[in-house]
Amino acid sequence: MQSLLVFQSLWAMELRSSRRSEFTLEEKVERIAQGGFDGVSAHWHDRAYVRRLHALLRQFGLQVEGQCFPTTIDDLKPVLENAAEFGVHHICLQPDVRLRRVEDCLPLLEGWQQLSEEARIPVLIETHRDRMTTDLFFTLDLLDRLPNLRLLGDVSHFLVGREFCWPISDENHRLIEKILDCSWAFHGRVASREQVQIEISYPHHRPWVDLFLGWWEFGFRSWQKRAGANDSLAFVCELGPKPYAITDRFGEDTTDRWEESLALKQHARDLWAKVSTGPLT
């Protein structure tokens, strides 16, 4: 049967604090496993690092989302070689190019798609600022030309990028739903129209939390209709360190991001239980 896997971003484990020491990679992986996550999200291009991380993941029975940031078609090849040797759940590809014409993007996307098919390794194109997919409308234009393009949906970037008015209009909900209908994995953080990552534990941020829970619920339901009977959906908790995280006057996090990651994990699992057993909404 279909299942949900909740990963924790290794980038999100960075403290960047003057008061607390950074965890070692071994400590991060152990903490993620003990926290009840199913895997991690990590860069997957440096073979020595991948080998070291792979050994730790095997020790704790964790899976991985491999991230990469190619600027050319060939840049993906070593990432897929690492994926073939060490395994991944999927590759998250941030297209590190900023082209202004859809026609100029198509050869890159088609080339990455072809490499993915040849390697039989899922490669998903992340929606992300300062990348090919920085703009919602431009990304929708790409989907018009490549309707089978598989996205990794991080809609926090689109909310900030378009600075939707509150309450979110029906038109803007429909645009986000078009992205969700083409998303095969999700990165989880909560944004407001001004900030890409807000504190989900603050009561006054609850309207934004509810907004994202509604979008993820739609995305989960959409994925269940499209995916195979035994496929697994990955949801990555990606509450990043500063400058993503809002900080106080001393440069320290305003909340405990680890505790918020655990809360976000539970939100995702509660949503999955809801869409797997409850009526359509």
Side-chain angles (χ1 to χ4, degrees), residues 43-51 82:
H43 294 183
W44 216 244
H45 50 79
D46 184 306
R47 191 172 183 276
Y49 173 81
V50 169
R51 185 192 298 110
N82 287 335

Side-chain angles (χ1 to χ4, degrees), residues 149-165:
L149 185 66
R150 294 194 169 203
L151 299 179
L152 190 150
D154 185 342
V155 292
S156 64
H157 296 288
F158 288 146
L159 177 58
V160 170
R162 302 301 304 188
E163 200 171 341
F164 291 163
C165 290

Side-chain angles (χ1 to χ4, degrees), residues 42-93:
H43 294 183
W44 216 244
H45 50 79
D46 184 306
R47 191 172 183 276
Y49 173 81
V50 169
R51 185 192 298 110
R52 177 187 174 196
L53 177 57
H54 172 70
L56 292 171
L57 298 179
R58 286 188 61 187
Q59 179 182 343
F60 292 101
L62 298 176
Q63 298 193 48
V64 65
E65 168 192 83
Q67 291 193 322
C68 64
F69 311 86
T71 60
T72 69
I73 295 173
D74 287 346
D75 284 348
L76 181 59
K77 291 180 178 178
V79 177
L80 291 175
E81 290 171 0
N82 287 335
E85 182 174 356
F86 299 105
V88 291
H89 182 270
H90 64 273
I91 294 294
C92 167
L93 188 156

Side-chain angles (χ1 to χ4, degrees), residues 4-9 13 30-40 62 186-190 200 209 213 216 220 233-239 256-274:
L4 175 72
L5 300 174
V6 184
F7 294 175
Q8 167 70 347
S9 165
M13 299 297 288
E30 182 175 7
R31 196 174 200 209
I32 289 169
Q34 292 177 346
F37 290 92
D38 301 300
V40 307
L62 298 176
F186 298 94
H187 279 185
R189 77 168 59 83
V190 173
I200 65 174
V209 174
L213 291 177
W216 293 329
F220 285 11
L233 172 65
F235 180 94
V236 178
C237 297
E238 199 182 33
L239 304 182
D256 186 327
R257 283 185 292 110
W258 171 250
E259 291 298 325
E260 292 206 331
S261 294
L262 294 175
L264 188 56
K265 169 173 63 69
Q266 191 59 50
H267 278 312
R269 289 185 173 159
D270 290 345
L271 274 181
W272 182 259
K274 177 181 179 181

Side-chain angles (χ1 to χ4, degrees), residues 159 164-173 176 208 211 215:
L159 177 58
F164 291 163
C165 290
W166 183 269
I168 307 300
S169 68
D170 288 344
E171 177 185 4
N172 285 332
H173 274 298
I176 292 295
W208 298 108
L211 172 68
W215 281 344

Side-chain angles (χ1 to χ4, degrees), residues 82-232:
N82 287 335
E85 182 174 356
F86 299 105
V88 291
H89 182 270
H90 64 273
I91 294 294
C92 167
L93 188 156
Q94 286 190 19
D96 192 11
V97 290
R98 284 148 287 277
L99 302 171
R100 296 180 63 180
R101 299 173 67 250
V102 168
E103 290 74 14
D104 295 333
C105 299
L106 299 181
L108 284 168
L109 294 171
E110 290 170 339
W112 289 324
Q113 280 183 316
Q114 183 177 347
L115 290 178
S116 171
E117 292 167 2
E118 291 172 353
R120 298 184 179 181
I121 295 170
V123 174
L124 310 179
I125 307 299
E126 184 177 359
T127 59
H128 202 289
R129 288 171 299 157
D130 197 34
R131 300 291 185 260
M132 180 191 293
T133 52
T134 189
D135 180 70
L136 174 59
F137 289 174
F138 190 84
T139 303
L140 291 171
D141 287 343
L142 291 173
L143 289 173
D144 286 342
R145 297 291 298 272
L146 294 174
N148 294 324
L149 185 66
R150 294 194 169 203
L151 299 179
L152 190 150
D154 185 342
V155 292
S156 64
H157 296 288
F158 288 146
L159 177 58
V160 170
R162 302 301 304 188
E163 200 171 341
F164 291 163
C165 290
W166 183 269
I168 307 300
S169 68
D170 288 344
E171 177 185 4
N172 285 332
H173 274 298
R174 301 295 86 79
L175 295 176
I176 292 295
E177 287 168 1
K178 289 181 180 180
I179 297 296
L180 298 172
D181 272 333
C182 296
S183 295
W184 292 84
F186 298 94
H187 279 185
R189 77 168 59 83
V190 173
S192 70
R193 62 192 299 255
E194 294 87 9
Q195 293 142 338
V196 74
Q197 181 176 298
I198 60 175
E199 304 93 340
I200 65 174
S201 58
Y202 286 2
H204 57 282
H205 287 160
R206 187 67 205 194
W208 298 108
V209 174
D210 289 340
L211 172 68
F212 275 80
L213 291 177
W215 281 344
W216 293 329
E217 178 180 346
F218 181 96
F220 285 11
R221 292 189 188 280
S222 173
W223 179 90
Q224 287 182 340
K225 296 174 186 177
R226 293 177 274 119
N230 298 310
D231 288 350
S232 58

